[in-house]
Amino acid sequence: MSQMTAMHIPDGASAPPGGQPLNGGAYQVQLQATADGKLLVSGISGGGGGSGDASAAKQDTQITRETEIRDRLPTTLVAGALPVVARGGLTALGFEQITALSSSAALTVPSGATVAVVQADVADVRWRPDGATNAPTASVGMLLPAGAERVFDGGLSSVRFIQVTSGAVINVSYYQ
């Protein structure tokens, strides 16, 4: 039984006899197996390939690549961890959970934060973007149902929240 397959030929290796060239250094070859199902492999030489090429030049190239990656990482670690970069290229700055929502509550915005993702948990909450001067009440303000989340991307220090029914909690993640 024989079967067609595509295979990559490493730099410096010779093409397999009878192989049909494909894109990117690959060749299509017909594989053959013995009667007991063992694959017959022949016709490829050179290039190091699967056994690895541990030459000094290859090692230097790898060291250079890894050094470039290391040098792109932040130099300071926070609590022993790398900063998390969220979707859209935002960097996570912190998290808070506000449980005291029986009266209007403000966010505790970390320095540099420009975006907050707020999720209502347990019960519905209301919010107002002009809460510094016009606080929301249990019946006045924009509704954020339990389980829903909203992204705030400006004026974070003016946003205020209040529970609609007791026990509401909001979870907030901050980004820069």
Side-chain angles (χ1 to χ4, degrees):
M1 170 193 278
S2 62
Q3 177 179 348
M4 299 301 285
T5 188
M7 60 188 299
H8 176 73
I9 306 301
D11 291 338
S14 62
Q20 300 296 318
L22 301 173
N23 292 331
Y27 282 82
Q28 183 174 359
V29 295
Q30 188 169 2
L31 297 178
Q32 295 180 345
T34 62
D36 60 353
K38 294 181 181 174
L39 183 63
L40 294 175
V41 179
S42 63
I44 300 175
S45 62
S51 62
D53 183 353
S55 68
K58 293 282 186 179
Q59 290 177 15
D60 287 343
T61 300
Q62 187 63 28
I63 290 169
T64 299
R65 288 179 182 156
E66 291 178 9
T67 301
E68 289 170 353
I69 292 169
R70 183 204 63 210
D71 291 347
R72 287 193 305 246
L73 295 173
T75 55
T76 57
L77 299 178
V78 179
L82 293 172
V84 175
V85 177
R87 60 183 174 224
L90 298 173
T91 301
L93 295 180
F95 173 86
E96 77 172 313
Q97 184 176 67
I98 302 175
T99 58
L101 292 167
S102 59
S103 61
S104 174
L107 301 173
T108 306
V109 183
S111 176
T114 57
V115 175
V117 178
V118 178
Q119 179 190 54
D121 199 4
V122 182
D124 299 349
V125 297
R126 291 197 181 270
W127 63 274
R128 286 189 62 154
D130 59 348
T133 55
N134 298 298
T137 68
S139 59
V140 176
M142 302 297 294
L143 181 65
L144 185 60
E149 64 181 40
R150 183 178 191 304
V151 176
F152 293 87
D153 62 356
L156 301 180
S157 60
S158 297
V159 181
R160 297 286 192 277
F161 298 87
I162 195 166
Q163 64 190 14
V164 173
T165 58
S166 66
V169 171
I170 59 172
N171 298 305
V172 188
S173 291
Y174 295 99
Y175 302 91
Q176 176 180 19

